[in-house]
Amino acid sequence: MDKEHKASIDGDQWGRCVAEHGWLWDAASAPSSTTLILAHGAGAPMDSGWMNDMAARLAALGVNVLRFEFPYMAQRRLDGGKRPPNPAPKLLECWREVYAEVRRHVTGRLAIGGKSMGGRMASLLADELGADALVCLGYPFYAVGKPEKPRVENLAGLKTRTLIVQGERDALGNREAVEAYSLSPSIEVFWLVAGDHDLKPLKASGFSHEQHLAAAAGKVASFLQ
């Protein structure tokens, strides 16, 4: 790790920034110059069990992970009321603000991405922001039951180096449907056998959820480093 990068993420200023914004920071347990801003999905917060697990796995593999919440989820944390995600323009505005603030403090490689909706929103901004890489965990290629109406227009011309980790039986993007789409050559899709939207496989596959999560984290870490 270069000294400039280490100082920029370990200093008091960065610690205060994370605390003031209510973000979560998982520092890499090994020397690293790569940070991933990881956004949550539509229905679960930044500290859901799935998000906590993935952030911990990535940090153990040498990736710094910064988590934040979109406005609707942050409000839900305050009042406990369930509400739908903000309109896309608001979600994208939040992403831009978070990225700009993190970029001020982190001097190494900075990637963006997220679980499901969080990753999709990141994909809409990756080229604009000039992110070093994009990571999507369970990409929502279409609404449940509507593979004939794919949400992939932005993925056809995406220039940012991208990794999509997808379960083969994901209800929002199964392998048969996704492999028929025209995706940018900058995108690599990493398939997990019989995995669902949370990357959990069928028991009959011979794989466990633990194995798939470990494989996903390992792939992401090697991709980013």
Side-chain angles (χ1 to χ4, degrees), residues 87-120:
K90 184 69 173 179
L91 298 176
L92 296 176
E93 177 187 359
C94 179
W95 247 122
R96 290 187 181 98
E97 292 174 351
V98 172
Y99 182 87
E101 186 64 24
V102 175
R103 181 75 283 180
R104 288 181 55 235
H105 294 276
V106 175
T107 59
R109 292 188 300 274
L110 183 57
I112 63 174
K115 176 79 170 70
S116 194
M117 181 197 75
R120 179 170 178 253

Side-chain angles (χ1 to χ4, degrees), residues 6-225:
K6 186 175 188 299
S8 74
I9 62 174
D10 290 347
D12 291 339
Q13 186 180 25
W14 174 239
R16 287 196 301 272
C17 176
V18 171
E20 289 171 2
H21 286 88
W23 296 339
L24 293 177
W25 173 250
D26 289 78
S29 57
S32 172
S33 60
T34 301
T35 295
L36 171 64
I37 306 176
L38 190 68
H40 60 80
M46 64 179 177
D47 58 353
S48 68
W50 198 98
M51 291 287 285
N52 284 341
D53 181 85
M54 186 55 64
R57 289 176 187 274
L58 291 172
L61 293 172
V63 178
N64 299 308
V65 182
L66 186 284
R67 286 176 280 165
F68 71 95
E69 287 187 332
F70 293 112
Y72 78 97
M73 191 62 73
Q75 186 60 40
R76 188 169 89 171
R77 187 177 293 277
L78 293 175
D79 59 26
K82 288 192 174 182
R83 47 180 52 78
N86 306 107
K90 184 69 173 179
L91 298 176
L92 296 176
E93 177 187 359
C94 179
W95 247 122
R96 290 187 181 98
E97 292 174 351
V98 172
Y99 182 87
E101 186 64 24
V102 175
R103 181 75 283 180
R104 288 181 55 235
H105 294 276
V106 175
T107 59
R109 292 188 300 274
L110 183 57
I112 63 174
K115 176 79 170 70
S116 194
M117 181 197 75
R120 179 170 178 253
M121 290 300 109
S123 76
L124 294 170
L125 290 174
D127 288 350
E128 172 193 321
L129 297 176
D132 292 305
L134 170 67
V135 173
C136 300
L137 302 169
Y139 192 92
F141 284 94
Y142 48 78
V144 175
K146 297 182 178 180
E148 74 281 1
K149 296 182 179 179
R151 300 178 289 204
V152 297
E153 184 177 352
N154 67 301
L155 300 182
L158 189 66
K159 295 180 175 61
T160 303
R161 185 167 167 265
T162 299
L163 173 66
I164 296 177
V165 178
Q166 197 81 358
E168 288 185 333
R169 62 186 181 94
D170 192 325
L172 303 183
N174 66 59
R175 186 163 190 165
E176 181 181 5
V178 173
E179 289 188 337
Y181 302 147
S182 295
L183 303 181
S184 165
S186 69
I187 298 174
E188 175 185 357
V189 182
F190 180 65
W191 292 103
L192 290 169
V193 178
D196 65 8
H197 195 54
D198 288 327
L199 311 182
K200 185 177 182 179
L202 293 170
K203 289 184 178 180
S205 70
F207 291 94
S208 67
H209 198 191
E210 163 70 23
Q211 287 175 310
H212 271 7
L213 291 172
K219 180 64 177 180
V220 171
S222 63
F223 173 78
L224 291 178
Q225 296 171 353

